[in-house]
Amino acid sequence: MTLSSGTAVDPLQLPATLAQKLVARAAGTTHVTPGSIVMCKVDLAMSHDSSGPRRVAPLLRDLGARVWDPSRYVVVTDHYVPASDPDAEAIVRFTRDWVREAGIPNLIDNQGICHLVLPERGFVLPGRFIVGGDSHSPTGGAFGAYMFGVGATEMAGVLATGEIWLRVPQTIRLDWHGKLADGVCAKDIMLFLCATLGLAGGRYETIEFTGSAITALPMQERMTLTNMCTELGAQTGLIAPDATTMAWLAAAGVDAATLADIDPRQWRSDADAPVLLAQRYDATALVPYVAAPHSPANGAPVTQAAGERIDIAYIGACTGAKLEDLRMAARVLRGRKVAAGMSLRVAPASARDQQLAAQEGTLDVLLDSGAELLPNACNACAGYGASRFPAGSRAIASTARNFAGRMGDAGSAVWLASPLTVAATAVTGQITDPRTLLA
């Protein structure tokens, strides 16, 4: 590359965002320019039982193609398990049979939601370029990986070639400084952003979270942030990896040799890298947020929704039922009971997190309060199974979306909130500021 003066410029010296660095690595080059089109080599592809074999297998068959590298494709059963009807049984059976016949070694079967079990098993690492067959695949960006969701046609192309084209994204930097108050968490950040930036605020670019409030978050709270970048209309969300990232991966069982090959300092934005938009927020001033039916953009401080009668409290989904989420709910529920006429349903996001919650006593707190334990699967969040909300029900959920009919009958109404607020509401039977119970 040369400047107009004719002075040669080393691409390695050009300032770049974290997104540019990740895409450049996948494209096999030293620097990429936002807006340009590049071909990227895929480190890993992921599908679940709804988006995966039943949709991509016919496409691959018609192409006369096989999976380019079976070891780089992970399939997770999480939408249709446990099977609740013959159709679900057929889908799960086809998934298992096809994975076996295609020689795919990585089937994570009925162990939890794909966005959690994938990093749990060490598949999501800093610097990686990953394609997922689900809209909430940006969850992987919490680890400093470039991960985004695609449809079945694009996934079939990835599986056949190991590559995908990409328009190099611009970066929207959201800097959160200060410290979150007790009773406020990552879910509140995202409901605030959905309300203030809107569901198209991400402009199908990359959102990068920075600032002292972000680096103070544990990994699973960071995962909530990047997960819900989908709700903001971004292609993906990113958080630069650090010591917290590496410690979580080590605890998850990633081998020492793999970790030793990762230098998290390599995967961060240069201070002078140009961005599309930069916003700065005071985390100290944030309060618990609740999004009213039927959009995540209908967010407002919990005080504006306080008193709304609720009959179902749902703690579930990749956004709201990880171990950290269960711990938050237990803080509120300890020593308390679910209100009369109220149903509290808890669906831990993974079997591993449920086991850890049981070992440390968190699960006992939830069950002692009167919670009903549901399977480690998507359940009502994806509109499947017996846990769907019936007509006329009024629910509050720790999920990512509350569109009409998504979690049950179109005549149900769903408010979105943090696990803290959902738990507080379960205790009182009406939307409640969790800070009043934590105090």
Side-chain angles (χ1 to χ4, degrees):
M1 177 181 177
T2 59
L3 296 178
S4 57
S5 64
T7 304
V9 176
D10 182 354
L12 291 174
Q13 301 302 315
L14 291 172
T17 63
L18 173 56
Q20 285 175 274
K21 293 180 180 182
L22 292 167
V23 173
R25 173 193 168 274
T29 187
T30 55
H31 187 83
V32 291
T33 303
S36 62
I37 305 297
V38 294
M39 286 298 297
C40 295
K41 291 189 179 299
V42 174
D43 292 306
L44 188 77
M46 181 277 295
S47 298
H48 49 62
D49 46 351
S50 181
S51 69
R54 71 184 184 124
R55 301 192 187 280
V56 299
L59 297 172
L60 291 174
R61 181 193 62 222
D62 292 345
L63 291 170
R66 296 176 180 270
V67 176
W68 97 103
D69 185 345
S71 70
R72 294 177 181 267
Y73 185 35
V74 181
V75 178
V76 183
T77 58
D78 61 3
H79 276 58
Y80 288 100
V81 291
S84 59
D85 55 52
D87 287 341
E89 289 179 2
I91 290 169
V92 174
R93 183 170 56 253
F94 180 84
T95 299
R96 292 167 177 159
D97 290 346
W98 184 84
V99 164
R100 183 181 62 256
E101 293 165 4
I104 308 299
N106 299 308
L107 171 65
I108 306 177
D109 195 1
N110 201 13
Q111 292 298 301
I113 302 172
C114 60
H115 308 300
L116 180 54
V117 299
L118 201 68
E120 271 186 352
R121 282 153 178 78
F123 287 108
V124 182
L125 300 172
R128 300 299 194 266
F129 186 90
I130 307 173
V131 175
D134 188 273
S135 62
H136 286 113
S137 295
T139 306
F143 296 85
Y146 199 94
M147 187 170 181
F148 61 105
V150 299
T153 303
E154 284 184 301
M155 181 60 77
V158 168
L159 295 180
T161 67
E163 297 182 335
I164 190 171
W165 69 269
L166 186 78
R167 178 185 61 82
V168 180
Q170 299 186 81
T171 292
I172 297 171
R173 186 175 67 237
L174 304 181
D175 184 85
W176 286 83
H177 65 93
K179 181 180 179 181
L180 292 173
D182 193 25
V184 182
C185 63
K187 184 62 173 290
D188 298 305
I189 290 177
M190 293 314 296
L191 292 178
F192 166 83
L193 291 174
C194 287
T196 55
L197 300 181
L199 300 190
R203 310 184 193 184
Y204 205 63
E205 305 289 354
T206 293
I207 292 176
E208 183 179 353
F209 295 93
T210 63
S212 58
I214 304 303
T215 57
L217 292 175
M219 280 309 303
Q220 290 191 342
E221 279 284 83
R222 298 180 188 187
M223 292 165 70
T224 296
L225 297 180
T226 55
N227 174 293
M228 286 191 67
C229 283
T230 300
E231 270 55 64
L232 291 172
Q235 183 181 62
T236 194
L238 289 172
I239 297 173
D242 56 15
T244 298
T245 314
M246 302 304 286
W248 193 93
L249 291 171
V254 177
D255 64 90
T258 299
L259 294 176
D261 285 339
I262 299 171
D263 180 2
R265 295 170 299 179
Q266 176 184 0
W267 304 113
R268 58 189 68 253
S269 292
D270 297 328
D272 52 348
V275 298
L276 175 63
L277 176 68
Q279 297 277 28
R280 185 170 167 83
Y281 301 99
D282 180 6
T284 309
L286 187 67
V287 299
Y289 256 63
V290 173
H294 294 284
S295 171
N298 291 340
V302 64
T303 51
Q304 295 189 27
E308 286 278 0
R309 179 186 59 80
I310 299 294
D311 46 55
I312 299 173
Y314 184 83
I315 296 174
C318 50
T319 314
K322 303 177 292 298
L323 181 59
E324 291 290 343
D325 302 310
L326 302 179
R327 287 169 173 167
M328 282 188 260
R331 284 192 62 203
V332 174
L333 293 168
R334 188 177 301 277
R336 297 187 171 104
K337 296 291 184 182
V338 172
M342 187 80 182
S343 171
L344 171 59
R345 305 172 185 179
V346 178
S350 80
R352 187 174 295 183
D353 270 6
Q354 179 173 322
Q355 182 181 28
L356 291 172
Q359 290 172 355
E360 68 184 27
T362 295
L363 189 62
D364 283 342
V365 172
L366 303 177
L367 297 177
D368 289 347
S369 73
E372 174 191 359
L373 190 63
L374 298 179
N376 310 124
C378 295
N379 295 296
C381 180
Y384 299 117
S387 60
R388 287 167 49 88
F389 302 155
S393 60
R394 296 165 61 86
I396 188 166
S398 63
T399 57
R401 295 171 181 162
N402 60 342
F403 304 130
R406 173 179 171 84
M407 299 181 68
D409 191 277
S412 61
V414 182
W415 284 256
L416 298 179
S418 75
L420 291 158
T421 302
V422 173
T425 301
V427 169
T428 64
Q430 58 187 16
I431 295 180
T432 299
D433 188 334
R435 295 171 298 179
T436 61
L437 299 185
L438 292 175

